[in-house]
């Protein structure tokens, strides 16, 4: 199971999502990675910015879009608990 947070530098909603995800994942003993879509594009992964750049932050669960603009905490907790 992988949890990934797609963000952009200077994005206040991204900072709030990071804080929420940090708390939720810590509660459940799950790690997550964060990817800045602009840096990823500079490193050859322009697909992330093209697909998700207009609705950041985005939470990906096992590579699938789980939520965007904010963390859907009840749904994420249920999905992470159910995938253990």
């Amino acid at each position: 199971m992988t949890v990934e947070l797609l963000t952009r530098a200077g994005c206040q909603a991204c900072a709030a999502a990071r804080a929420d995800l940090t708390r939720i994942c810590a509660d459940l003993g799950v790690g997550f990675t964060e990817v800045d879509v602009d840096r990823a594009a500079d490193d050859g992964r322009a697909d992330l910015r093209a697909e998700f750049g207009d609705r950041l932050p985005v939470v990906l669960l096992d590579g699938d879009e789980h939520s965007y603009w904010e963390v859907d905490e009840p749904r994420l907790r249920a999905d992470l608990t159910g995938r253990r």
Side-chain angles (χ1 to χ4, degrees):
M1 169 180 29
T2 61
V3 180
E4 195 168 28
L5 177 63
L6 304 180
T7 63
R8 171 174 282 133
C11 169
Q12 293 302 316
C14 297
R18 180 184 311 109
D20 290 343
L21 203 54
T22 297
R23 177 179 45 78
I24 295 163
C25 287
D27 287 350
L28 299 175
V30 175
F32 74 94
T33 58
E34 182 175 346
V35 175
D36 181 306
V37 297
D38 296 319
R39 286 187 184 157
D42 290 344
D43 292 337
R45 293 284 323 272
D47 59 313
L48 288 177
R49 183 170 58 193
E51 184 171 350
F52 301 109
D54 63 340
R55 58 185 185 274
L56 296 174
V58 175
V59 176
L60 301 178
L61 189 57
D62 289 335
D64 296 322
E65 186 174 324
H66 185 272
S67 57
Y68 62 94
W69 292 336
E70 60 185 23
V71 177
D72 183 341
E73 184 169 350
R75 183 172 163 237
L76 182 60
R77 284 183 179 277
D79 289 345
L80 288 175
T81 302
R83 292 187 186 207
R84 284 185 169 178

